[in-house]
């Protein structure tokens, strides 16, 4: 396994409409369940929409906003039985979110001080709850934030500044976010169909997902290692993906490195089911020489959970590999992208131990991160 | 190693510590800086204030570096930090949906409700395929910025970074404190 130290996942949690733990979420997804539902008239929005929403009434601590509560729940669950002292100065909190408490800007919201709409102030609520003395950082890099936050965590651990980094990705839907995506004509009127010929847009979702990393010199065969990742820009358009898949292709190339495509169990793509995103990913995957590797998208189960997506989808991919399974792409029927990707709506067996998480977002940003169970063998 | 730096506030502009003379203040200052130092990039006028601030600050920084050839490159990152994320754009977008009787959400307003859009604007202008990132903290903290950017050189391809503080509350309250950082 070489002499180099490795960044290892030591604990995790997913809090979503499909469950309050990673195991519950994985079991639900494996069984083909989806939290996507039709909503009409919710939050006073004039147009109906389909989304995966957490039951707000299940969270009753009125000291914290719904966003802060699901973050605190997710981190608390991840910390259970780990022995990690969240109050230690050797522990850093990194949050990943696009919009945090943005719903507080609505003049009808009066329960919390406006100050909490600032992401740093929101992060302070969380770190104070866990009595952590460090200044938290909040990665707000559009829809790739969840992978960027994990790359940040790897770097902080690599530099030796901290013993543990707790990464929590979160976003909670609101009239603000849903109306914005509606104005972009980016939402599907029904359940989304990633990579499908009839895909016509995305669905949005609520979730928080936590992953805790540490650095180790030796790992066992069952430990998950975050190997290498990259963030790259398309340098093309602030709200449309590159026609050449430039940023995703370049990020994939770094993540794959000298690993053979044949050793990758699957690429867990962004797969939002917008016509442009999925097409762009097919181009990038093909250019990176990975067209033979199975590809899946989990958006048909949770919708697009924005700041949570990178962490949530990473954790489900780890569970899938542990279970020798490539999760099916719910909503997919007939391939509808230019390059021939290996997508299926069924769960499929695998014995491979590595996968790549791929994301792209507004601002032309893209991120890819390679994970390997037991680390990479030279 | 820091090679060049730019400071812009609503009434002050410094390039490598030297004051630039100007007539305007606030967001009008950003337009004045654009007209005097850029002038051939009309997309500027579509940007929100945070992006205008980051765009003109990066232009002054790159003009100070010189030899601008606009050749595509992957070895330069753009990484900013602030405390207000995209709050001005958020507040503006919220005003387009606040009143159910006048509900006109605008995609042009919505796209700027992400702080990292400015990093994309700079990448597009300069054909940078490298890392772009945006990090929000509770308050300005030089140490957090310094450590984070040092860590960013762990990316095997990153050789230089346009980085630093880029914060905007509204058209009268903003601050850019950015620099061009080279790998040691």
């Amino acid at each position: 396994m070489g002499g180099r130290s490795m960044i290892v996942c030591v604990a995790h949690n997913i809090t979503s409409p499909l469950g309050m733990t990673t195991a519950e979420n994985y079991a639900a997804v494996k069984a083909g369940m989806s939290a996507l539902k039709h909503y009409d008239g919710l939050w006073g929005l004039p147009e109906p929409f389909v989304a995966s929403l957490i039951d707000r009434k299940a969270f009753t601590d009125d000291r914290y906003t719904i966003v802060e509560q699901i973050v605190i729940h997710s981190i608390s669950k991840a910390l259970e039985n780990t022995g990690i002292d969240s109050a230690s100065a050797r522990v850093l909190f990194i949050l990943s979110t696009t919009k945090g408490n943005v719903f507080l800007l609505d003049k009808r919201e009066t329960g919390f001080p406006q100050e909490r709409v600032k992401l740093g102030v929101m992060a302070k609520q969380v770190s104070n709850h866990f009595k952590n003395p460090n200044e938290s950082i909040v990665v707000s890099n559009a829809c790739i934030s969840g992978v960027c936050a994990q790359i940040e965590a790897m770097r902080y651990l690599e530099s030796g500044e901290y013993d543990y980094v707790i990464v929590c990705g979160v976003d909670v839907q609101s009239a603000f976010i849903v109306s914005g995506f509606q104005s972009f004509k980016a939402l599907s009127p029904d359940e989304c169909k990633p990579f499908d010929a009839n895909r016509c847009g995305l669905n949005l979702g609520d979730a928080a997902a936590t992953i805790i990393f540490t650095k180790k010199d030796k790992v066992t065969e069952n430990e998950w290692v975050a190997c290498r990742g990259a963030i790259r820009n398309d340098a093309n358009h602030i709200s449309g993906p590159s026609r050449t898949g430039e940023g995703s292709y370049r990020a994939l190339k770094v993540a794959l490195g000298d690993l053979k495509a044949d050793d990758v169990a699957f690429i867990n793509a962004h797969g939002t089911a917008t016509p442009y995103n999925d097409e762009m990913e097919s181009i990038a995957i093909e250019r990176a020489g990975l067209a033979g590797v199975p590809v899946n998208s989990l958006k048909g189960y949770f919708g697009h959970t924005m700041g949570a997506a990178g962490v949530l989808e990473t954790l489900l991919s780890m569970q899938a590999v542990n279970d020798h399974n490539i999760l099916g792409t719910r909503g997919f029927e007939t391939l509808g992208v230019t390059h021939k990707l290996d997508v299926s709506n069924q769960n499929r067996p695998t014995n491979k131990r590595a996968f790549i998480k791929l994301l792209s977002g507004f601002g032309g940003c893209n991120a890819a991160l390679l994970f390997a169970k037991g680390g990479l063998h030279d | 190693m820091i090679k060049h730096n730019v400071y812009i506030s609503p009434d002050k502009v410094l390039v490598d510590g030297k004051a630039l003379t100007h007539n305007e203040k606030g967001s009008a200052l950003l337009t004045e800086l654009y007209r005097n130092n850029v002038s051939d990039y009309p997309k500027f006028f579509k940007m929100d204030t945070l992006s205008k601030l980051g765009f003109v600050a990066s232009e002054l920084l790159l003009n100070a570096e010189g030899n601008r050839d606009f050749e595509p490159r992957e070895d330069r990152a753009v990484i900013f930090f602030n405390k207000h994320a995209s709050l001005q754009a958020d507040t503006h977008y919220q005003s387009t949906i606040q009143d159910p009787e006048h509900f006109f959400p605008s995609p042009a307003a919505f796209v700027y409700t992400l702080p990292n859009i400015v990093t994309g604007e700079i990448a597009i202008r300069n054909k940078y395929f490298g890392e772009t990132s945006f990090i929000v903290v509770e308050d300005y903290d030089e140490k957090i910025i310094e450590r984070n950017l040092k860590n960013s050189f762990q990316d095997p391809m990153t050789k230089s970074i346009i980085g630093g503080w880029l914060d905007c509350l509204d058209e009268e309250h903003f601050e850019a404190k950015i620099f061009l950082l080279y790998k040691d």
Side-chain angles (χ1 to χ4, degrees):
Chain A
M1 248 165 282
R4 241 179 113 250
S5 55
M6 282 170 271
I7 307 302
V8 178
C9 165
V10 290
H12 49 81
N13 168 268
I14 296 173
T15 299
S16 89
L18 288 180
M20 301 298 250
T21 64
T22 307
E24 282 174 25
N25 275 276
Y26 177 70
V29 170
K30 191 184 177 188
M33 288 165 68
S34 170
L36 293 172
K37 287 187 185 141
H38 288 258
Y39 293 93
D40 196 349
L42 187 63
W43 306 323
L45 287 169
E47 273 179 67
F49 61 96
V50 173
S52 159
L53 304 181
I54 281 179
D55 178 12
R56 270 64 166 166
K57 290 193 291 292
F59 293 86
T60 54
D61 187 344
D62 58 13
R63 292 172 300 164
Y64 297 112
T65 68
I66 178 68
V67 184
E68 292 155 6
Q69 286 188 72
I70 69 166
V71 167
I72 289 168
H73 175 271
S74 181
I75 294 174
S76 302
K77 281 278 178 195
L79 281 169
E80 265 176 22
N81 307 319
T82 60
I84 297 169
D85 176 13
S86 65
S88 163
R90 299 288 299 170
V91 175
L92 175 70
F93 281 67
I94 300 181
L95 298 190
S96 150
T97 187
T98 63
K99 296 310 316 158
N101 285 325
V102 74
F103 70 95
L104 294 177
L105 289 179
D106 190 320
K107 294 190 172 59
R108 288 159 290 196
E109 290 286 344
T110 52
F112 295 92
Q114 276 288 304
E115 191 70 1
R116 295 273 266 278
V117 82
K118 292 181 196 161
L119 300 179
V121 175
M122 181 186 99
K124 190 49 133 328
Q125 297 297 315
V126 174
S127 59
N128 281 352
H129 179 90
F130 291 99
K131 301 187 168 55
N132 186 269
N134 295 317
E135 290 299 325
S136 306
I137 68 168
V138 183
V139 177
S140 194
N141 223 6
C143 299
I144 71 166
S145 301
V147 167
C148 296
Q150 294 183 73
I151 292 174
E152 289 286 336
M154 293 164 71
R155 291 173 180 171
Y156 275 108
L157 289 167
E158 199 60 60
S159 70
E161 287 175 75
Y162 300 98
D163 296 333
Y164 295 97
V165 179
I166 298 174
V167 175
C168 182
V170 67
D171 265 303
V172 171
Q173 301 305 321
S174 60
F176 185 104
I177 303 170
V178 174
S179 66
F181 277 92
Q182 283 176 330
S183 77
F184 256 96
K185 310 271 179 238
L187 295 191
S188 167
D190 287 304
E191 295 176 21
C192 67
K193 299 170 181 296
F195 297 105
D196 191 80
N198 295 315
R199 70 187 183 279
C200 57
L202 57 82
N203 308 133
L204 292 164
D206 296 340
T210 303
I211 188 164
I212 305 178
F213 290 110
T214 194
K215 185 163 77 168
K216 291 188 180 183
D217 292 330
K218 274 192 187 131
V219 299
T220 66
E221 286 300 297
N222 291 325
E223 286 182 301
W224 273 101
V225 176
C227 305
R228 54 182 170 247
I231 304 160
R232 292 292 182 267
N233 203 285
D234 291 332
N236 174 65
H237 196 280
I238 55 167
S239 60
S242 153
R243 282 173 203 278
T244 54
E246 208 58 49
S248 282
Y249 155 66
R250 289 170 190 259
L252 277 171
K253 222 169 56 165
V254 177
L256 184 66
D258 54 6
L259 187 69
K260 290 196 288 288
D262 197 42
D263 289 330
V264 181
F266 55 85
I267 298 165
N268 179 242
H270 196 29
T272 58
T274 64
Y276 292 114
N277 174 79
D278 297 6
E279 173 64 13
M280 179 281 287
E281 286 190 289
S282 90
I283 295 165
I285 289 167
E286 209 268 341
R287 278 185 77 189
L290 292 164
V293 176
V295 172
N296 65 1
S297 157
L298 301 175
K299 299 298 191 285
Y301 305 96
F302 301 94
H304 185 353
T305 55
M306 302 166 58
V311 183
L312 180 151
E313 293 169 8
T314 292
L315 291 173
L316 286 168
S317 297
M318 288 176 176
Q319 299 304 305
V321 171
N322 288 346
D323 194 24
H324 306 291
N325 181 19
I326 302 169
L327 287 165
T329 299
R330 194 177 186 280
F332 171 82
E333 282 169 44
T334 313
L335 191 69
V337 291
T338 304
H339 296 285
K340 200 176 171 304
L341 297 184
D342 180 9
V343 187
S344 169
N345 55 20
Q346 300 297 309
N347 294 331
R348 292 183 285 172
T350 182
N351 282 317
K352 295 173 186 172
R353 302 171 64 87
F355 70 91
I356 295 175
K357 175 74 208 109
L358 179 64
L359 286 176
S360 55
F362 278 176
C365 54
N366 306 263
L369 184 48
L370 173 73
F371 293 89
K373 193 179 180 181
L376 294 173
H377 297 253
D378 295 328
Chain B
M1 182 182 36
I2 291 178
K3 287 225 171 146
H4 297 280
N5 59 74
V6 168
Y7 177 87
I8 302 177
S9 70
D11 56 7
K12 192 158 116 188
V13 185
L14 302 173
V15 177
D16 290 333
K18 254 179 69 184
L20 233 65
T21 54
H22 55 88
N23 301 313
E24 304 290 348
K25 278 185 177 181
S27 62
L29 166 62
L30 301 179
T31 307
E32 183 187 7
L33 289 172
Y34 166 80
R35 290 197 197 283
N36 292 344
N37 299 280
V38 190
S39 81
D40 61 345
Y41 200 72
K43 255 193 250 178
F44 171 82
F45 295 101
K46 288 189 185 172
M47 296 177 191
D48 73 330
T49 312
L50 179 66
S51 291
K52 282 181 175 167
L53 176 66
F55 180 81
V56 293
S58 66
E59 287 293 307
L60 292 175
L61 192 67
L62 294 168
N63 286 345
E65 185 190 31
N67 296 321
R68 298 188 67 179
D69 58 10
F70 298 96
E71 283 298 312
R73 60 193 291 186
E74 193 172 342
D75 63 347
R76 177 164 287 172
V78 183
I79 303 172
F80 292 133
F81 302 78
N82 79 7
K83 72 183 275 187
H84 289 104
S86 53
L87 189 56
Q88 186 201 17
D90 295 355
T91 306
H92 170 58
Y93 179 76
Q94 179 65 34
S95 73
T96 71
I97 60 166
Q98 186 64 56
D99 182 355
E101 304 296 311
H102 301 277
F103 185 88
F104 296 111
S106 142
F110 186 64
V111 72
Y112 285 102
T113 65
L114 293 164
N116 67 303
I117 296 297
V118 58
T119 65
E121 297 280 17
I122 293 167
I124 293 167
R125 162 69 165 168
N126 298 290
K127 299 193 182 73
Y128 292 162
F129 296 123
E131 174 167 332
T132 54
S133 198
F134 210 106
I135 287 164
V136 181
V137 289
E138 195 185 12
D139 276 304
Y140 179 79
D141 184 331
E142 206 171 273
K143 268 199 203 112
I144 291 181
I145 297 174
E146 202 176 285
R147 283 179 353 204
N148 194 285
L149 292 179
K150 192 175 164 222
N151 283 346
S152 299
F153 285 116
Q154 288 178 30
D155 184 298
M157 295 183 84
T158 303
K159 299 284 182 287
S160 63
I161 303 174
I162 295 178
W165 185 254
L166 191 75
D167 196 40
C168 172
L169 177 59
D170 57 37
E171 294 189 10
E172 278 80 46
H173 301 87
F174 52 76
E175 186 179 45
K177 223 180 209 179
I178 71 165
F179 42 84
L180 186 57
L181 184 68
Y182 273 78
K183 195 171 183 169
D184 290 326

